[in-house]
Amino acid sequence: MKINGKFIFLKKMSLSDANFIYRLRKKKDISLYLHNAPKTVVLQKKWMIKNIKDKRTLDFVIIKKKNDKKIGTIAFDKITKFNAEWGRWISRGNTIENIESVIVLLNYGFKKMKLRSIYSLTNRKNIKVVNFHKNTTALFKGIKKSFFLINNKKIDALKYSFNKRRFNLFKKKFMTMIESIQ
C-alpha cells in the first residue's frame, strides 16, 4: 500500500524496514520521548510481525518522493470502526515533509477509512510536537497521567483530537503553504 503526497509518500511498513526503524528509534534525540525501544533488531522484527498481523494497527514508513529516501514512520493504532489513534510519528524530514506526512495519514483515515475521530497522545516533554499540535486545529482533550514509561520514569501524555471538520481546516491551512512550493 502506498499513499501519495506532493513531497512524500507513505508506504506500508514491512519487515525490510526493521533496520531503518530500529536505528531511528535508537537516536538519542528521539528516544527521549518514546516508550523504550527494542534492544535489538531481532526484537524490533518480532514487534513488527505482531503489528503487521494486528488489524487494529496500520504502520507506515515516510519516504521522500524526490529520492525514495526513508525519513520516518507514522501509524494508526487502536483502530475501531469510527476512531483511531495516530502516532509513532518520527520524522527526519524538513518542516513541509513532516506536516505533509500527518496530512496524508489523516486524510487517508477520514476519507478511505471513514473515521470520525483521530487522536494522538504526545509525551508532554516533547515540546516540538506539543507546539505542532497547538498550531493545528486539533482540540486539546486533556492529560493522561503516567502514560509513557521512559527510562523507568512515568511521563504524562497530552491528548489532541481531530474530527473531520477540524482536520479539513488544518489541511486547508497547511496545504496552501505546501501547494505554493515548487
Side-chain angles (χ1 to χ4, degrees), residues 5-8 94-104 132 170-182:
K6 183 174 180 177
F7 298 103
I8 59 93
N94 63 39
T95 301
I96 298 298
E97 292 161 343
N98 296 342
I99 293 170
E100 188 179 38
S101 70
V102 174
I103 290 171
V104 169
F132 168 80
F170 164 67
K171 183 170 87 170
K172 182 179 178 183
K173 177 180 175 183
F174 286 98
M175 286 307 288
T176 302
M177 179 175 61
I178 289 170
E179 294 298 325
S180 71
I181 298 170
Q182 298 302 321

Side-chain angles (χ1 to χ4, degrees), residues 133-170:
H133 288 298
K134 288 179 179 178
N135 286 304
T136 70
T137 55
L139 184 62
F140 178 68
K141 294 289 214 166
I143 298 171
K144 290 194 92 160
K145 294 285 186 189
S146 303
F147 180 78
F148 290 97
L149 182 61
I150 302 170
N151 298 322
N152 296 317
K153 293 181 183 172
K154 292 181 179 181
I155 299 170
D156 298 344
L158 304 180
K159 184 175 182 178
Y160 288 88
S161 182
F162 283 103
N163 59 26
K164 194 171 184 177
R165 184 184 67 75
R166 285 182 173 274
F167 168 68
N168 284 331
L169 292 170
F170 164 67

Side-chain angles (χ1 to χ4, degrees), residues 3-136:
I3 309 168
N4 280 305
K6 183 174 180 177
F7 298 103
I8 59 93
F9 64 91
L10 305 181
K11 175 191 78 75
K12 190 172 180 184
M13 177 184 75
S14 68
L15 288 180
S16 65
D17 301 312
N19 286 330
F20 167 74
I21 294 170
Y22 176 77
R23 285 191 325 271
L24 189 64
R25 289 182 56 88
K26 290 301 231 179
K27 292 190 181 292
K28 289 205 185 300
D29 62 326
I30 292 172
S31 64
L32 292 170
Y33 306 114
L34 305 175
H35 291 290
N36 295 336
K39 298 205 183 297
T40 66
V41 174
V42 171
L43 292 174
Q44 178 69 46
K45 284 183 180 179
K46 284 183 179 180
W47 178 86
M48 291 170 68
I49 289 167
K50 184 178 127 269
N51 261 30
I52 289 168
K53 291 178 184 176
D54 188 344
K55 300 292 183 211
R56 297 169 302 138
T57 297
L58 188 55
D59 286 272
F60 295 95
V61 174
I62 305 165
I63 301 174
K64 279 187 183 211
K65 274 188 161 180
K66 73 176 180 180
N67 60 11
D68 285 341
K69 181 181 177 187
K70 296 175 184 178
I71 60 170
T73 63
I74 195 165
F76 281 129
D77 196 18
K78 300 174 188 78
I79 300 169
T80 66
K81 186 174 181 180
F82 298 114
N83 308 302
E85 175 186 349
W86 76 272
R88 294 197 277 277
W89 183 39
I90 306 169
S91 187
R92 299 303 245 182
N94 63 39
T95 301
I96 298 298
E97 292 161 343
N98 296 342
I99 293 170
E100 188 179 38
S101 70
V102 174
I103 290 171
V104 169
L105 180 77
L106 298 184
N107 195 59
Y108 181 81
F110 285 116
K111 284 192 173 177
K112 299 291 184 190
M113 297 171 68
K114 307 292 186 208
L115 297 174
R116 293 182 185 164
S117 174
I118 302 172
Y119 67 93
S120 66
L121 295 165
T122 300
N123 179 327
R124 79 174 320 151
K125 292 183 177 184
N126 191 343
I127 301 304
K128 280 185 179 179
V129 177
V130 170
N131 285 337
F132 168 80
H133 288 298
K134 288 179 179 178
N135 286 304
T136 70

